[in-house]
Amino acid sequence: MKTALIGISNKIKEHNSKIKVWSESFRKHSDGEVILIAANADEEDIRVCEELNITYHVADVGDPWYINNKRLYHISQFLKTSDIDVFLSTDVFDVLFQSNPFDKFDLDNYDLFVSNEGIMLREEPWNTDVINRCFPGEIECCINNEITCSGVIGGKRESLMHLFEKMHLMCEYAVNGHNVRDQAALIIMMAKGMVDKLKVFSLDEGWAMHCQSSGPTQFFESWGLRRNLESRYGVPKFIDGKVYTGDDKLFDIVHQFNRVPEWHEILIKEYE
């Protein structure tokens, strides 16, 4: 079975060090291919991809302000042409791997894989605000659900392709109230039962940890996130340079680690 990590980046030369952490930490734990959609790339950007031994696909994404939404289209288009069986699509600048992210995939029973953040939508104002701005009238269907992160999504090639096509259409037809709409689209689709054969990893399963909600960011105490995590899953731990669940399982994926400066410095040291 062929596997691959895929993401998108513009200004690749400028973000060389971040892409290196993403790609090399993945290669440390997986033999899958690393593929980067090179948004609006020039010759210097392509040179960086070649130096990092990353398979690149140049794409014109237009205004990068909307790259979070446009990536859904460009990644789905790439998937149409690929012979790889299983993909993991992630953000690039703030994702690091601590073990093989494919090991927990039960491909006999599921086609798609996402992870929750451990926090309910009603408890976190940013996602609530985006849904209200971009998808008026939809908040009630999902307000009592956990937040699902769109920055880390895996699955079988065709299923992931169709999911991204549907998410892209939702983003395109949404009210232009925010430039990042993909997560809001995913949350609504899940709440309405529009995603089949989906495995949703909870925070305590140790697949992916999203530091914005689940780590000690500036909002951890003031928004009551720590208290809510403690009552549900336990609070993730940082021990000897690694991130663990509250009951000491190593996370496969650490996302948004750059939002916790003291973690960031230690986690990336190996890849500098």
Side-chain angles (χ1 to χ4, degrees), residues 28-48:
K28 180 179 178 180
H29 303 289
S30 172
D31 59 3
E33 188 173 354
V34 180
I35 301 165
L36 189 66
I37 306 297
N40 304 333
D42 59 22
E43 290 183 4
E44 286 296 299
D45 294 329
I46 291 170
R47 181 183 59 78
V48 169

Side-chain angles (χ1 to χ4, degrees), residues 233-245:
Y233 304 110
V235 177
K237 306 171 184 178
F238 193 68
I239 304 171
D240 296 330
K242 301 286 185 181
V243 185
Y244 295 84
T245 67

Side-chain angles (χ1 to χ4, degrees), residues 100-147:
N100 191 333
F102 299 110
D103 282 350
K104 290 186 174 73
F105 282 13
D106 177 2
L107 296 167
D108 292 330
N109 293 298
Y110 300 100
D111 291 345
L112 293 163
F113 303 86
V114 296
S115 56
N116 281 345
E117 299 187 7
I119 299 298
M120 310 298 282
L121 185 60
R122 65 175 183 270
E123 297 165 344
E124 195 277 316
W126 187 86
N127 282 280
T128 302
D129 180 60
V130 174
I131 291 173
N132 281 327
R133 286 171 179 261
C134 299
F135 301 98
E138 298 285 10
I139 192 68
E140 289 305 316
C141 77
C142 51
I143 191 67
N144 292 314
N145 293 353
E146 273 196 43
I147 297 167

Side-chain angles (χ1 to χ4, degrees), residues 22 43 56 62 74-75 82 92 182-183 196 210 221 234 244 259:
W22 173 74
E43 290 183 4
Y56 62 88
H74 291 287
I75 291 176
S82 177
V92 174
D182 58 314
Q183 184 155 299
D196 296 327
H210 310 284
E221 302 290 350
Y244 295 84
R259 304 188 191 194

